[in-house]
Amino acid sequence: MKVFALTGAGVSAESGLGTFRSVDGLWSRFDPMRLATPEGFAADPAAVHEFYNLRRRNMAAAAPNAAHFALTELETRLEARGGELFLCTQNIDDLHERAGSRRVWHMHGEIARALCLHCGTRRDWRGDLAVELACPRCGRAGGLRPDVVWFGEVPYGMEEIEAALEAADRFVAIGTSGSVYPAAGFVARAGDLGIPTMEVNLEPSDVAGLFGESLYGPATETVPALVARLLG
Ligand code: OAD
């Protein structure tokens, strides 16, 4: 069996990392147009760095939870049976990797990586970013930004994602509000392809009506239950 799993901020919520669209979510306290767009970065890079530096530090202080570990178990046990898990996350944190997942597709990039706007180099970056820092590759300052996908930018690896969806036997969306495209459109695409779909979330998402099945509750409870079910 090939499983395509899409995860969102809800999978890391119980690790203490905030979601975006809850009542006290990140986008209720911070302006995404200022902090998560290329235009916002061009206008005030220091403010953008401050926002992502804090999130990078919060991530380092957080630990993976039972939902991340359950998905690692799913990957291992599917592979042992000749199957596959395509784990596609909108999250920029590294909690799936720290739980042991070996192949994680970060469609919105990674906060522990930096991208140089001068030379295009992408590299691991665990410390703070700042406007005055020079790129280790080209030596020019002012061009380093978090290697994350902002509003108005194209997510990474859409061709590979489409191919993985086409090859999948099951589609599950976990901890995502279904409000940001193209990820929010995956369930409709899976439906067109005739793939059984399931939503696993705290509450019905914006696209809940498109799923064949649903499981509602905290991810640390629902994801282990989902994995047990998928492994039969
Ligand atoms: P959202 O904050 O939009 O949605 C998080 C979802 O997780 C909501 O539907 C919550 O109900 C659910 N949730 C919260 N706590 C949960 C828990 N303990 N267990 C299970 N579910 C829980 O986050 P995303 O859908 O990931 O993009 O947001 C998508 C994109 O919007 C992000 O990647 C980011 C953001 O703007 C960019 O920054 C480009």
Side-chain angles (χ1 to χ4, degrees), residues 9 14 20-21 27 90 108 149 151 176-177 201-203 219:
E14 290 163 85
F20 296 95
R21 293 176 182 78
W27 293 156
Q90 296 165 87
H108 287 171
V149 175
F151 292 104
T176 177
S177 62
N201 206 33
L202 198 55
E203 63 208 349

Side-chain angles (χ1 to χ4, degrees), residues 7-15 18-22 25-27 32 35-36 51-52 55 65 67 89-92 107-108 148-153 174-181 183 199-206 216-223:
T7 64
V11 87
S12 296
E14 290 163 85
S15 293
T19 61
F20 296 95
R21 293 176 182 78
S22 53
L26 282 169
W27 293 156
L35 299 171
F51 176 69
Y52 285 97
R55 295 189 59 202
N65 65 49
T89 187
Q90 296 165 87
N91 297 343
I92 58 176
M107 65 179 291
H108 287 171
V148 301
V149 175
W150 285 327
F151 292 104
E153 297 182 322
I174 305 166
T176 177
S177 62
S179 50
V180 174
Y181 287 80
E199 166 159 280
V200 180
N201 206 33
L202 198 55
E203 63 208 349
S205 74
D206 290 1
Y216 296 121
T220 53
E221 294 171 18
T222 52
V223 181

